[in-house]
């Protein structure tokens, strides 16, 4: 019975890992569309979101099947509950990439970003993809130390997000209110994408150890 449980839980984490891959790829392409005002790429991100929805539904079905068929308790139940939470986190990451693509589409043929903030968003896009890839890896390895390290890339994302506001608040800003609103919203989308990746890491620590990251660090 426990062998069947672990096989099914591994299958759930495989689906979640594939969702992380999709979220990272979507954010990479959404960032490309944003920086280059590429309508075709933006449309691809929006159209391809159906695959994320399909995987999200499969992951939830797998988690419900584990609850119904395995009657889990204690550590086993912990793994399944965390799985449900991770489904929501990765699904949200995909939605945030979708929001970025929609901003690029809405502003086409113009670029949504003033030239002076392009570098910020190129780096935020790179970090977002890296976070999604790391989240996928820790779902596979269940390594709590690697999961905790997701916080480091999130700190870098937070720094970029804060620096964006110094640009927006500068008296030399000459791009108007609409551009300022776009930059503010887009910065928030990238920041929240990173936050959800960190949450996945926290949930993996809990899955693997039964502890919060803070508790795990105290005893390790």
């Amino acid at each position: 019975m426990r062998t069947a449980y672990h096989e099914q839980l591994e299958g759930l984490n495989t689906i979640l890992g594939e969702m992380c891959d999709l979220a990272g790829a979507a954010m990479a392409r959404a960032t490309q569309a944003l920086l280059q005002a590429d309508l075709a790429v933006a449309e691809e991100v929006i159209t391809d979101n159906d695959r994320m929805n399909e995987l999200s539904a499969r992951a939830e079905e797998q988690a419900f099947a584990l609850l119904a068929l395995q009657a889990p308790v204690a550590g086993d139940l912990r793994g399944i509950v965390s799985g449900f939470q991770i489904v929501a986190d990765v699904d949200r990451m995909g939605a945030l990439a979708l929001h970025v693509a929609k901003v690029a589409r809405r502003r086409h043929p113009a670029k949504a970003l003033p030239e002076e903030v392009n570098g910020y968003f190129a780096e935020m896009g790179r970090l977002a993809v890296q976070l999604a890839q790391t989240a996928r890896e820790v779902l596979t390895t269940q390594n709590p130390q690697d999961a905790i390290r997701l916080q480091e890339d999130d700190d870098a994302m937070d720094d970029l997000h804060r620096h964006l506001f110094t640009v927006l608040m500068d008296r030399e800003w000459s791009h108007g209110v609409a551009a300022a609103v776009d930059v503010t919203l887009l910065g928030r989308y990238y920041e929240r994408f990173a936050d959800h990746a960190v949450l996945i890491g926290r949930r993996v620590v809990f899955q693997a150890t039964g502890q919060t990251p803070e508790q795990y660090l105290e005893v390790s």
Side-chain angles (χ1 to χ4, degrees):
M1 181 68 74
R2 287 192 58 78
T3 299
Y5 164 79
H6 285 296
E7 288 176 352
Q8 287 178 293
L9 185 60
E10 185 176 328
L12 172 59
N13 282 334
T14 297
I15 297 171
L16 294 173
E18 188 176 346
M19 290 175 69
C20 285
D21 283 343
L22 283 178
M27 187 57 95
R29 287 184 296 155
T31 302
Q32 177 188 344
L34 185 68
L35 295 174
Q36 299 176 8
D38 192 322
L39 180 61
V41 173
E43 293 286 6
E44 285 177 10
V45 175
I46 294 164
T47 301
D48 290 351
N49 192 60
D50 288 346
R51 176 60 178 161
M52 178 69 83
N53 293 334
E54 292 170 8
L55 287 175
S56 180
R58 277 180 54 198
E60 287 188 347
E61 288 173 6
Q62 182 85 345
F64 277 121
L66 278 163
L67 279 176
L69 300 177
Q70 301 296 341
V73 295
D76 292 348
L77 182 60
R78 181 178 71 227
I80 298 170
V81 171
S82 296
F84 275 114
Q85 294 170 321
I86 293 169
V87 172
D89 287 322
V90 192
D91 200 42
R92 188 59 188 152
M93 289 165 69
L96 288 161
L98 189 65
H99 291 336
V100 174
K102 286 181 176 178
V103 172
R105 181 176 69 175
R106 185 169 67 247
R107 294 302 182 196
H108 186 270
K111 289 186 177 180
L113 298 174
E115 190 69 29
E116 65 203 79
V117 298
N118 277 353
Y120 289 97
F121 282 94
E123 180 62 9
M124 291 170 85
R126 185 192 70 79
L127 284 171
V129 173
Q130 184 172 306
L131 281 157
Q133 290 172 342
T134 304
R136 192 243 200 284
E137 289 166 8
V138 300
L139 280 164
T140 300
T141 65
Q142 294 287 294
N143 186 311
Q145 292 181 336
D146 289 343
I148 288 171
R149 290 193 190 104
L150 280 160
Q151 184 66 53
E152 295 174 10
D153 286 335
D154 182 55
D155 290 342
M157 182 74 83
D158 288 341
D159 285 343
L160 286 165
H161 190 237
R162 281 192 294 270
H163 289 155
L164 266 181
F165 278 98
T166 66
V167 176
L168 289 171
M169 298 302 292
D170 194 301
R171 291 181 180 180
E172 299 300 317
W173 179 264
S174 60
H175 305 288
V177 174
V181 170
D182 279 346
V183 169
T184 300
L185 286 175
L186 286 162
R188 182 62 173 163
Y189 296 153
Y190 284 89
E191 183 202 29
R192 289 302 297 153
F193 186 100
D195 287 345
H196 283 288
V198 171
L199 282 172
I200 291 170
R202 293 183 65 86
R203 301 193 203 289
V204 168
V205 174
F206 186 65
Q207 273 186 333
T209 69
Q211 299 172 314
T212 66
E214 293 77 15
Q215 291 169 333
Y216 175 77
L217 288 171
E218 282 181 6
V219 299
S220 61

